[in-house]
Amino acid sequence: MLRSSLSTSKLFKRYFCSISSLSIKETLQKKPINQKILVQGWVQAVRKYKELYFVDVIDGTCLDRLQIVIDAHSSKFPTYGSSIKVQGLVVESLHKGQEIEVVADSWETLGTCDESYPFKYHQKYSSEFIRQHLHLRPRTRRFSSILRIRNHASMAVHKFFQDEGFCFVHTPIITQNDCEGAGEVFSIDVKGKLAETLFSTNQDSNVINTNDDSTSDDESEILNLENNINLSEKHFFGAPTYLTVSGQLHLESIASALTRVYNFGPTFRAEASRTKLHASEFQMIEAEISFIENVDDLLQIVEKCLKRIIESIVDSCVEDVNFLSKDLKKHDQYIRNLTSKPFVRMSYKDAINILQNNKKLLKVPIEFGEDLGTDHKQFLVKHCDNMPVFVSMFPSSTKPFYMKSDENNLAHCFDLFAAYGGEICGGSLREDNEENLKKKFPFEKNSSLSWYLDLRKYGTVPHGGFGIGFERLLQSILGISNIRDVIPFPRRKYDCKC
C-alpha cells in the first residue's frame, strides 16, 4: 500500500506541476505552445461562433488580451466584467492579430459582474464620464495603460538619480513651514475624542514624575516640550502645522551633509483653481545639489533627467504609449524630438520680446516685468515647435525668500514649460548668505524656520535645486490635457471622491 501511495503521489505531482500559473503578459511573451497553463483575469469580451465561445481576458499586466476558447455546450458561459480562472492548453491561433490562444479544459467564475456595471463592451466613454467612477477606472484599457506607465516612470526617476549619485530622502509630509510662501496650505487638526482631552489645561493630570527611575527619556522630552508651549493654542505639535507644499527646505538641510539628494513624494496645495493643470494633491520630484554656482548646471541636470525618463518609458512601454497616443497627430515624432533635440533656453527678456512681437496672437497682452501667464507659456512652447522651453530669470511678485539675491543681474532661477503639461519644472540657486536671508524674511517672527538660518551659519556652501511635477511630466509625454486623467485618485476643491 505504501509503494502504491508513493506512485500515485508522483503521478499527481508530475501532472499538476506541469500546469504553470502564468500572467497574461508572461503567456503572450513566452508563448508556451502545447503546454497546460492556468490563467486568471477579467472578461473583456465574449463572442459565440458555432459551438464555441471566444472570451477575451485581461489581468492588468499588459495592454493585450488573451483569447480563451470554451466549448459552447457548457451549461454556463463567462459574462462581461466577471473574473474567471481557466486551465487549458496553449495552441497556435488561426485568427489575425494574435499568435496564441488557450483552449480551456476547465474554468470557473471567481466573481460575477452585476448588470449595473457602468462600462459596457465596445462602447467609448469620455474622460469626464470615466472620472465619475474612480474606483472602477483602472479596469478601462486607457487608464490601466496610464497606471503601468506611471509605475515604470516612477522606477525610471529613481534609477536616474541613483545612477547620478543622489541619495534618496523621505522628507516630512507634516511641517510648520510654507516653503512657497503663497499661503496655499492645508492645516492639520485633531478630531474626535483625542481633541477633547489632549489639550486639557489641567496639567496636574498629566504630570510626569521626573524623579521616577521608570520615566523614559521620551516622556521627559515631552514634558519639556509641554512646559515651553502655550497649551491654550490647542495644537497637537504645539504650533500650527500643515501638509507640505515642498520638501525643498528639508532637502537643503540634508544636502549640506550629503551633497546630492532628492525626494519623490506627495505634495499638497490648497488652491481654488480648477484648471486642467491643477490638483490639490500630486507627486513632486525634488533635488538639491551642493557646490553648484551656475543655474546652467541645474538646467543640464533637469534636461538629462527628463530625457532619461522619457527614453525609459518609450522603450519599455511601447504598446501602452502607442495606445494612448493613437489619436494624436505626429505624436511619435514629438516624442523623438523630446529625446533627440536639445531643450530651448531663453532669458525672460527674450521671452517677452517674442510675446510682444506676436501680441496679436495672444489672448492676454504682457509687459516687461510681469509674470508669464498660462497662455504666454503655451505660446512660447508652440513658437519653439513644441519643444520644452527653459525661461531664466523671470520676475515674480511672490519670489520665494530662499532664492539667491540678484546683485549682479544674473539668472538665478528658471521655469520649464512643455506641451500639454504647461509648467513642469522650476528651480533656482538658493540664497547661501545669512545676512541676505535675514533681509528677505522676518525670521524673528517665524521661529519655526530658525534652523534654516543655521544652515547658513554653520559651513554654508553654494547650492541649488529644482522640483518636477510628476503628473505634469506624464501629461507632456503622453499628450494628456487634464492632470486628473493621470492621477489614480485626483483631489481638487469640492472634489475628493473615493
Side-chain angles (χ1 to χ4, degrees), residues 337-358:
N337 288 344
L338 292 182
T339 57
S340 62
K341 294 184 177 181
F343 292 178
V344 179
R345 302 186 184 190
M346 66 177 67
S347 67
Y348 169 80
K349 181 179 179 180
D350 291 337
I352 294 298
N353 287 337
I354 291 172
L355 294 171
Q356 290 185 338
N357 290 337
N358 294 276

Tab-separated table of all heavy atoms in Angstrom, residues 337-358:
chain	number	residue	atom	x	y	z
A	337	ASN	N	11.548	63.975	-30.837
A	337	ASN	CA	12.159	65.298	-30.673
A	337	ASN	C	12.537	65.557	-29.212
A	337	ASN	O	13.586	66.139	-28.917
A	337	ASN	CB	11.207	66.395	-31.156
A	337	ASN	CG	11.062	66.415	-32.668
A	337	ASN	OD1	11.871	65.833	-33.387
A	337	ASN	ND2	10.020	67.066	-33.153
A	338	LEU	N	11.678	65.113	-28.296
A	338	LEU	CA	11.953	65.329	-26.873
A	338	LEU	C	13.248	64.652	-26.446
A	338	LEU	O	13.980	65.165	-25.593
A	338	LEU	CB	10.798	64.794	-26.019
A	338	LEU	CG	9.452	65.521	-26.092
A	338	LEU	CD1	8.454	64.873	-25.147
A	338	LEU	CD2	9.593	66.999	-25.774
A	339	THR	N	13.516	63.500	-27.011
A	339	THR	CA	14.703	62.751	-26.595
A	339	THR	C	15.943	63.072	-27.413
A	339	THR	O	17.065	62.877	-26.934
A	339	THR	CB	14.424	61.236	-26.692
A	339	THR	OG1	14.032	60.906	-28.033
A	339	THR	CG2	13.322	60.829	-25.737
A	340	SER	N	15.770	63.569	-28.642
A	340	SER	CA	16.926	63.757	-29.527
A	340	SER	C	17.374	65.206	-29.673
A	340	SER	O	18.546	65.467	-29.964
A	340	SER	CB	16.617	63.189	-30.926
A	340	SER	OG	15.526	63.884	-31.517
A	341	LYS	N	16.473	66.157	-29.475
A	341	LYS	CA	16.820	67.562	-29.657
A	341	LYS	C	17.042	68.245	-28.307
A	341	LYS	O	16.397	67.891	-27.310
A	341	LYS	CB	15.723	68.299	-30.428
A	341	LYS	CG	15.555	67.846	-31.865
A	341	LYS	CD	14.517	68.706	-32.573
A	341	LYS	CE	14.376	68.324	-34.039
A	341	LYS	NZ	13.384	69.172	-34.734
A	342	PRO	N	17.916	69.239	-28.267
A	342	PRO	CA	18.117	69.975	-27.004
A	342	PRO	C	16.897	70.824	-26.670
A	342	PRO	O	16.225	71.345	-27.567
A	342	PRO	CB	19.346	70.844	-27.291
A	342	PRO	CG	19.362	71.006	-28.779
A	342	PRO	CD	18.827	69.725	-29.339
A	343	PHE	N	16.616	70.962	-25.390
A	343	PHE	CA	15.541	71.838	-24.964
A	343	PHE	C	15.930	73.287	-25.276
A	343	PHE	O	17.113	73.636	-25.273
A	343	PHE	CB	15.275	71.697	-23.472
A	343	PHE	CG	14.691	70.363	-23.072
A	343	PHE	CD1	14.441	70.085	-21.738
A	343	PHE	CD2	14.393	69.386	-24.007
A	343	PHE	CE1	13.914	68.866	-21.342
A	343	PHE	CE2	13.863	68.163	-23.638
A	343	PHE	CZ	13.623	67.903	-22.297
A	344	VAL	N	14.933	74.109	-25.534
A	344	VAL	CA	15.174	75.520	-25.856
A	344	VAL	C	15.474	76.288	-24.572
A	344	VAL	O	14.839	76.064	-23.533
A	344	VAL	CB	13.949	76.130	-26.560
A	344	VAL	CG1	14.184	77.607	-26.870
A	344	VAL	CG2	13.632	75.361	-27.838
A	345	ARG	N	16.436	77.198	-24.638
A	345	ARG	CA	16.761	78.042	-23.494
A	345	ARG	C	16.689	79.506	-23.905
A	345	ARG	O	17.189	79.889	-24.964
A	345	ARG	CB	18.166	77.733	-22.967
A	345	ARG	CG	18.351	76.281	-22.544
A	345	ARG	CD	19.697	76.047	-21.893
A	345	ARG	NE	19.911	74.638	-21.565
A	345	ARG	CZ	20.903	74.187	-20.840
A	345	ARG	NH1	21.798	75.048	-20.347
A	345	ARG	NH2	21.030	72.894	-20.604
A	346	MET	N	16.048	80.295	-23.078
A	346	MET	CA	15.964	81.734	-23.348
A	346	MET	C	15.837	82.500	-22.047
A	346	MET	O	15.437	81.941	-21.018
A	346	MET	CB	14.767	82.043	-24.258
A	346	MET	CG	13.409	81.780	-23.651
A	346	MET	SD	12.043	82.255	-24.747
A	346	MET	CE	12.216	81.075	-26.077
A	347	SER	N	16.197	83.763	-22.096
A	347	SER	CA	16.055	84.622	-20.925
A	347	SER	C	14.625	85.147	-20.843
A	347	SER	O	13.858	85.067	-21.811
A	347	SER	CB	17.017	85.805	-21.020
A	347	SER	OG	16.641	86.654	-22.101
A	348	TYR	N	14.272	85.668	-19.704
A	348	TYR	CA	12.959	86.290	-19.545
A	348	TYR	C	12.779	87.427	-20.559
A	348	TYR	O	11.707	87.568	-21.162
A	348	TYR	CB	12.808	86.813	-18.115
A	348	TYR	CG	11.602	87.693	-17.918
A	348	TYR	CD1	10.339	87.137	-17.752
A	348	TYR	CD2	11.727	89.086	-17.914
A	348	TYR	CE1	9.227	87.951	-17.574
A	348	TYR	CE2	10.625	89.899	-17.736
A	348	TYR	CZ	9.373	89.334	-17.573
A	348	TYR	OH	8.276	90.134	-17.415
A	349	LYS	N	13.847	88.189	-20.780
A	349	LYS	CA	13.778	89.306	-21.729
A	349	LYS	C	13.473	88.801	-23.138
A	349	LYS	O	12.639	89.377	-23.853
A	349	LYS	CB	15.101	90.075	-21.715
A	349	LYS	CG	15.125	91.275	-22.662
A	349	LYS	CD	16.460	92.006	-22.565
A	349	LYS	CE	16.477	93.191	-23.528
A	349	LYS	NZ	17.788	93.927	-23.455
A	350	ASP	N	14.142	87.717	-23.539
A	350	ASP	CA	13.881	87.143	-24.861
A	350	ASP	C	12.446	86.649	-24.968
A	350	ASP	O	11.787	86.807	-26.012
A	350	ASP	CB	14.839	85.986	-25.138
A	350	ASP	CG	16.274	86.450	-25.320
A	350	ASP	OD1	16.477	87.628	-25.666
A	350	ASP	OD2	17.193	85.621	-25.105
A	351	ALA	N	11.945	86.048	-23.899
A	351	ALA	CA	10.571	85.555	-23.905
A	351	ALA	C	9.573	86.690	-24.083
A	351	ALA	O	8.617	86.584	-24.871
A	351	ALA	CB	10.291	84.800	-22.606
A	352	ILE	N	9.793	87.796	-23.371
A	352	ILE	CA	8.889	88.947	-23.500
A	352	ILE	C	8.946	89.519	-24.917
A	352	ILE	O	7.909	89.888	-25.493
A	352	ILE	CB	9.246	90.028	-22.459
A	352	ILE	CG1	8.972	89.506	-21.041
A	352	ILE	CG2	8.448	91.302	-22.719
A	352	ILE	CD1	7.533	89.161	-20.774
A	353	ASN	N	10.143	89.582	-25.500
A	353	ASN	CA	10.261	90.105	-26.870
A	353	ASN	C	9.467	89.249	-27.849
A	353	ASN	O	8.786	89.775	-28.747
A	353	ASN	CB	11.733	90.150	-27.281
A	353	ASN	CG	12.501	91.258	-26.587
A	353	ASN	OD1	11.903	92.238	-26.139
A	353	ASN	ND2	13.812	91.110	-26.480
A	354	ILE	N	9.551	87.919	-27.699
A	354	ILE	CA	8.797	87.024	-28.588
A	354	ILE	C	7.301	87.258	-28.427
A	354	ILE	O	6.549	87.353	-29.411
A	354	ILE	CB	9.145	85.550	-28.281
A	354	ILE	CG1	10.584	85.250	-28.703
A	354	ILE	CG2	8.171	84.603	-28.994
A	354	ILE	CD1	11.076	83.878	-28.265
A	355	LEU	N	6.857	87.366	-27.179
A	355	LEU	CA	5.432	87.548	-26.913
A	355	LEU	C	4.933	88.889	-27.428
A	355	LEU	O	3.842	88.971	-28.022
A	355	LEU	CB	5.164	87.419	-25.415
A	355	LEU	CG	5.419	86.026	-24.818
A	355	LEU	CD1	5.343	86.076	-23.295
A	355	LEU	CD2	4.427	85.018	-25.367
A	356	GLN	N	5.721	89.943	-27.241
A	356	GLN	CA	5.287	91.262	-27.691
A	356	GLN	C	5.321	91.386	-29.208
A	356	GLN	O	4.505	92.106	-29.795
A	356	GLN	CB	6.148	92.342	-27.037
A	356	GLN	CG	5.884	92.474	-25.539
A	356	GLN	CD	6.636	93.616	-24.900
A	356	GLN	OE1	7.660	94.086	-25.421
A	356	GLN	NE2	6.162	94.074	-23.752
A	357	ASN	N	6.225	90.676	-29.844
A	357	ASN	CA	6.270	90.678	-31.308
A	357	ASN	C	5.101	89.903	-31.921
A	357	ASN	O	4.848	90.011	-33.131
A	357	ASN	CB	7.592	90.090	-31.807
A	357	ASN	CG	8.772	90.993	-31.533
A	357	ASN	OD1	8.616	92.208	-31.364
A	357	ASN	ND2	9.961	90.409	-31.446
A	358	ASN	N	4.443	89.113	-31.097
A	358	ASN	CA	3.292	88.330	-31.570
A	358	ASN	C	2.035	88.653	-30.760
A	358	ASN	O	1.170	87.800	-30.574
A	358	ASN	CB	3.596	86.834	-31.456
A	358	ASN	CG	4.692	86.371	-32.378
A	358	ASN	OD1	4.481	86.070	-33.544
A	358	ASN	ND2	5.912	86.323	-31.838
